[in-house]
Structure formats: C-alpha cells, structure tokens
Amino acid sequence: MEHDIVAAYLRRIGMTEPPGPPSVDLLTELHMRHLGTVPFENLSIHLDEPIVLDEDALVDKIVRRRRGGFCYELNGLFAVLLGALGFRVTRHAARVFDPEGSLGPPFDHLVLVVQLGDRWLVDVGFGRLTTYPLRLDSTEVQDDPEGKFLVTPAPYGDIDLVRDGKPQYRMETRPRSLDDFTMGAWWNSTSPASHFTRSLTCSLRTEDGRVTLSADRLIRTVGDERTETVLPDDEAVLEAYQTIFGVVLERVPKLRTQGGT
C-alpha cells in the first residue's frame, strides 16, 4: 500500500497524526476507530455492485468512496493497512455459528491475527462483536464493552470464539491469502441461503452503543435500550445513509426478494 493511500486510509478512520511503531495501544486505537467510522454493510449486494477482493478495488470503495463492506472487504483491507504500518498480520478463515449452534460453510468469515509478542485476534468485519482486539492465546475470560469473551480450543486445531457463553465463530489457525476467500464472498453475496442476500444492513459502533439502518428501519442501541424508527420514504433513507454513515447513494438499495436488483 503506497504512502499516500495509507495516509488517506488513516484520515478515513479519523487519524490525522502519523502513528508510531506497532504496539498494542496503536492496534487498539486503529481497531476502535475503524469500527466507529467504516460501516459494516451489505448494500452492494442489493445495488447490483460487484464484490471484488483485490487491494485496488477495496481502496476505491472503502477509502476513496467512503463506503463500508462485509468481512472479506473490511478485514481484507484492514490487513493491508496494518501490514503497511509494520504489523505482522495474517488472514484466517472462520465458520460462523448460527443461533442454533450449527456451523456455517467454510470460508464463511475472514478474521485477522496480529503478532505482537502475543497473538491478537482482530476483527472489524463482523458487525457487532468486540470493541478491542482479544488475546488469542489467553484461556481467561476477556472483558470487553460488548461482553465477556473466551477463546477456546476446537477440533482439528481450530479455535472457537465465545461471547457471553454463546459461540460466535470457529477459526482456522492456518494463514490464508485474500484470494482464498473469493468463493466465500461469492456464496455469501449470491446464495438464497445467505443472510446477506435476505437482509439489508448498514451499521456503525457509536460512543455509547450502535446505530443500524436496516432497509427503512433506523435502530439505535445504548446498553440494553433499543429504539427503532421507521423512515417515511426513500428520500429520508438516502439522507440517513449520508448523514449518519457517510454513505452517499444515488438510489435506495432494495432487497432482491422485494423486486430490487
């Protein structure tokens, strides 16, 4: 990643000063800023926009056009930024647990591991998960604003991430390249069985909770309190995308099952 693109990416996440050398504090700051500025969103799927997993395409979408994306895009590009800043980072495949405890397909999710003496689990592409990176080799419960997290061994050398007693995903320890996730991204963006093709979401972490726009429903959560507002028309939806998430769209994305693209 070229110097000017690194600088633009840092500005995108609200960092105006050049960062120092790799450290846990810097990793934590980058993680928190990314979650609060780059939305987790699947709008491209419902706008008939291609999901392209290469660095130039991701820089154009996330940095230049100030969009967000889902895990393959967000964690995929965040890994490039971390590497450019001197972090030792690898990409890993994961399978997401559904509410019934069953695992999704292989390459269902992309997560990052950063080596800073200890190994750290980094994930800015899951929607609501951790605020801070987690120690990957710790067997203790790790407190986070989003809950109590536990990293536990799983079969075949894999690792399970558990939040508040509920498994979130099972990750491989083997490093992967971004190209390895092309099929997972295609499946998640095209399959009728994927929740990404059956829902619309654009979501950001806020200072006191989270804000999400799901189709025409604007949802704000603060702690255990949740408020939901139905926006009256497409103009209001487009305005919410722009003013709350910084996402400028020419038209409102519509679910394919509702006659969208």
Side-chain angles (χ1 to χ4, degrees), residues 52-150:
V52 181
L53 297 186
D54 69 51
E55 182 178 331
D56 289 343
L58 295 178
V59 165
D60 182 66
K61 181 177 182 179
I62 294 171
V63 178
R64 297 193 182 98
R65 294 194 284 129
R66 304 184 71 82
R67 285 281 301 277
F70 58 176
C71 68
Y72 311 104
E73 299 167 294
L74 299 182
N75 283 329
L77 191 61
F78 194 44
V80 181
L81 175 66
L82 292 176
L85 295 176
F87 288 93
R88 294 172 55 194
V89 57
T90 50
R91 299 179 180 90
H92 298 259
R95 301 174 67 188
V96 179
F97 287 95
D98 67 19
E100 288 71 43
S102 298
L103 282 167
F107 295 93
D108 196 24
H109 185 49
L110 187 163
V111 302
L112 306 178
V113 174
V114 171
Q115 184 82 43
L116 280 167
D118 296 326
R119 293 187 304 165
W120 293 84
L121 176 62
V122 173
D123 194 342
V124 296
F126 196 71
R128 184 187 172 203
L129 193 66
T130 66
T131 300
Y132 311 130
L134 297 175
R135 291 183 183 273
L136 191 58
D137 297 313
S138 174
T139 59
E140 304 295 324
V141 173
Q142 301 181 57
D143 289 324
D144 184 271
E146 293 291 352
K148 294 183 180 295
F149 289 84
L150 187 64

Side-chain angles (χ1 to χ4, degrees), residues 12 37-39 41 43 47 65-68 202 237-250:
R12 170 79 173 92
T37 55
V38 183
E41 50 106 330
L43 306 181
L47 289 168
R65 294 194 284 129
R66 304 184 71 82
R67 285 281 301 277
C202 186
V237 172
L238 289 174
E239 182 179 359
Y241 278 127
Q242 181 168 355
T243 59
I244 298 173
F245 304 99
V247 172
V248 178
L249 300 176
E250 295 182 355

Side-chain angles (χ1 to χ4, degrees), residues 158-234:
D158 292 345
I159 295 172
D160 282 354
L161 179 65
V162 180
R163 176 173 61 188
D164 296 333
K166 296 181 179 179
Q168 303 298 298
Y169 53 70
R170 176 169 294 171
M171 62 170 286
E172 297 179 349
T173 55
R174 169 187 174 182
R176 296 285 187 174
S177 71
L178 187 56
D179 289 342
D180 290 336
F181 295 89
T182 300
M183 184 61 71
W186 174 82
W187 186 90
N188 268 301
S189 60
T190 62
S191 172
S194 166
H195 67 273
F196 288 112
T197 63
R198 293 181 281 114
S199 65
L200 269 164
T201 190
C202 186
S203 185
L204 269 178
R205 177 183 176 273
T206 63
E207 291 185 0
D208 55 4
R210 194 161 196 88
V211 59
T212 300
L213 182 56
S214 180
D216 62 352
R217 295 180 298 117
L218 185 61
I219 304 161
R220 298 183 185 272
T221 56
V222 178
D224 294 329
E225 295 185 9
R226 170 187 166 116
T227 59
E228 182 174 318
T229 303
V230 177
L231 301 180
D233 52 35
D234 284 358

